[in-house]
Amino acid sequence: MNAIHHPLRVVILGGGFTGAALAWQLARLRLPARITVVEPRAELGRGLAYSATDPAHRLNVPAHRMSIDPENRADFGDWLAANPGAADPQAAAANGDLYVQRAVFGRYVADRLAPHLASGAIRHIRARVSDIARGADDGLLLMLSDESRIHADLLVLATGHPAPALPRPLAGLAGSATLVAGPDDAQALASVPQDARVLILGAGLGAADVIATLDRQGHRGQIACLSRRGLRARGQGDGGQDSEADFTDPPLRGVSDLLRRVRHAVVDDQARGQGWQATFWRLRAQAPQIWAALDQPARRRFLRHLRVWWDVHRYRLAPQAEAVQARLADQGRLQYLAGHLLAADRRDGGIDVRWRPRGRSEPVQARFDRVIVTTGPAQDRCIAANPALGALAGLGLIAPCPLGLGLATTQGCKALDARGGVSERILIAGPLARGDLGELTGAPECAAQTRDIAREIARRAMPAPILHPGRTGGPLHVTRPEAHSRP
C-alpha cells in the first residue's frame, strides 16, 4: 500500500457489538494507531440488539457462552458476579443457566470499553457517514452528518444487520398506523390495541420478541405468524455438554454429506443422553470450517434447501420467550401458518390479508388490525440501505455478496471490489461478511472474527517488523494485551 500514515488511521463504521469488540481488541494491543468509531448512538457496544429497553427481550444464549473476549468465555459471567443486581430474578432458567435482559449485555460491553474511551485510546464520533470519497493520499475521506470530515488509512465496515425489507404485497400499507415495519419499533408496538388481531410475518426470533412485547403490554387478541413453511424457532433445551461430533474430518463432500453427518450425530448424541441442541452447538463452533469446505454451488444448495431448517434450530429461543409462546398457544391465541403472502388491503379500519396456504392452490383471506414485519434483515439490500456502503459501491470499492449475504469478502475479511480485486484499505466485520465465513451472526462468532481482524490490522500498523532479540528475521511481535480490561 502507498502513503500509509503512522500512526495508522483506523476508522470503524458502526459501534454495535462487532465494531465495539474490534475497537476493544485494538486498544488492548496498544498499537501505533488512531482508532475512531463512527456511531450515532450515545454508547458503544449496544447497537440495535443490546440497546433494547423492553425487559421481555433477553439473550437467547446462556450468559456463560457470551463474552467480548473470545479468549475468556467466562468474562461476562465474571462481570455479572461483580454486578449482582444486573441479572433480574426471572433470568435463571430451570437448569440454572442465565438468560439476562439484552440491555444488560450492552451495559457490560460499554463497561469494558469505558477505560479505553476515557484514556483516548478509542475515539467515538456520534455521527453518521453521509458520503465517502478517495483521499489525496490514496486513503479514504469520510464526510459525516455533523459536517466534519475524517481520513481513514483503513476502513472497517461493521454496520451490522440491515433492516427488514417491506414485502411487496404490503406496499399499500406503507406509512399507515396499521403496519409495523420492523420488530424494533417500540413506539409502534406500544400503540397496538390490546384486543387487536395481529398478523406477524415471520416466525423466528424477531417474531418471538414481538410476541413477548405484546404479552408484557397486556395484549389479549389473536396473533397469527405467517411464514413460508410455518416453522418456528426451537427452544434451548436442558443444556449439558457440547457434542463430540466432528464435521470437518474427513472433509465434507457436499450438502448431502453434511446432512447425513448431522443426522447421525443427533442420533449418537441422543444415545449419550444429550439433546439435538448439543449437536447444533458443535455445528456452530465448526461452522467456518464447514462453510469453507463447500464450493459456491454447494453453498447455494444449502441456502435453497437447508437454510430454513438451520435457522429454526440454530437461532433458538430463551426459555422465557418459549414459555410465553407455549402459554399463548395453549390458550388458543397464537397460531402458526404456512403459506405465501399475496395481498394486503386496508378496508373499514382493518386489513384484509390474502395468502396461499402451503400445499394448496386456493388462497384464503382473513381480517387483521395490525400487520408486523419480522422477516429478518434484508442482507441482499445492505448497499442500497446505507449511504456509506452506497458511496463505496459507487466508487467500485465494494461489491455485493453473490449469495445475497451482505458484501463480497475474502476469508481474511478484506473487501472485494467491483472487479473482484482484494482491497487493502477496506475490511468487513460482522454479519456483512457472512457470505464468505458462513456463521457470523451471534456475538461469540463476531468476537472471534474481530480478534482475527485486530491481528491483521496489527500487522499493518507497525512501521517496520519488530524482531525477537537475537534473530535476524522473524514474525511480527505485538505487545501482549492485559488479561482483562476492567474499569
Side-chain angles (χ1 to χ4, degrees), residues 29-211:
L29 290 174
R30 299 171 183 159
L31 302 172
R34 293 207 300 265
I35 306 162
T36 302
V37 183
V38 181
E39 166 58 52
R41 292 183 176 86
E43 279 190 306
L44 297 182
R46 292 189 177 273
L48 189 60
Y50 306 123
S51 60
T53 57
D54 192 326
H57 293 181
R58 298 181 177 275
L59 297 179
N60 67 312
V61 172
H64 69 267
R65 293 182 180 270
M66 297 285 285
S67 175
I68 194 174
D69 185 356
E71 306 297 335
N72 179 19
R73 203 166 72 172
D75 191 51
F76 182 41
D78 292 343
W79 182 90
L80 287 172
N83 295 270
D88 62 289
Q90 289 76 43
N95 66 352
D97 286 345
L98 292 179
Y99 294 84
V100 300
Q101 296 167 4
R102 290 208 294 264
V104 172
F105 187 74
R107 178 183 156 197
Y108 149 76
V109 177
D111 276 4
R112 287 291 182 257
L113 264 72
H116 301 300
L117 288 164
S119 70
I122 300 171
R123 180 174 61 148
H124 174 199
I125 297 179
R126 292 192 62 187
R128 300 180 186 275
V129 175
S130 55
D131 200 3
I132 300 178
R134 296 179 187 271
D137 57 359
D138 199 33
L140 294 168
L141 176 64
L142 282 61
M143 281 70 82
L144 306 184
S145 57
D146 62 3
E147 298 186 356
S148 64
R149 298 185 175 195
I150 57 175
H151 293 268
D153 297 311
L154 280 180
L155 180 63
V156 184
L157 305 180
T159 54
H161 294 292
L166 187 66
R168 187 172 299 175
L170 300 183
L173 303 182
S176 168
T178 60
L179 174 68
V180 181
D184 303 300
D185 191 337
Q187 184 175 357
L189 290 175
S191 68
V192 175
Q194 290 189 341
D195 295 318
R197 296 156 296 182
V198 175
L199 175 67
I200 300 175
L201 296 182
L205 297 182
D209 280 346
V210 168
I211 293 167

Side-chain angles (χ1 to χ4, degrees), residues 355-406:
W355 71 92
R356 181 180 297 111
R358 184 174 177 83
R360 292 172 53 182
S361 58
E362 293 299 320
V364 298
Q365 180 169 305
R367 171 66 64 93
F368 296 94
D369 300 303
R370 292 288 190 278
V371 175
I372 304 174
V373 179
T374 69
T375 50
Q379 293 175 318
D380 59 336
R381 304 184 188 182
C382 62
I383 291 176
N386 187 302
L389 302 187
L392 291 171
L395 294 171
L397 299 179
I398 61 172
C401 167
L403 297 173
L405 297 176

Side-chain angles (χ1 to χ4, degrees), residues 47 208 212 237 305 318 436 469 481:
H305 299 295
D436 193 74

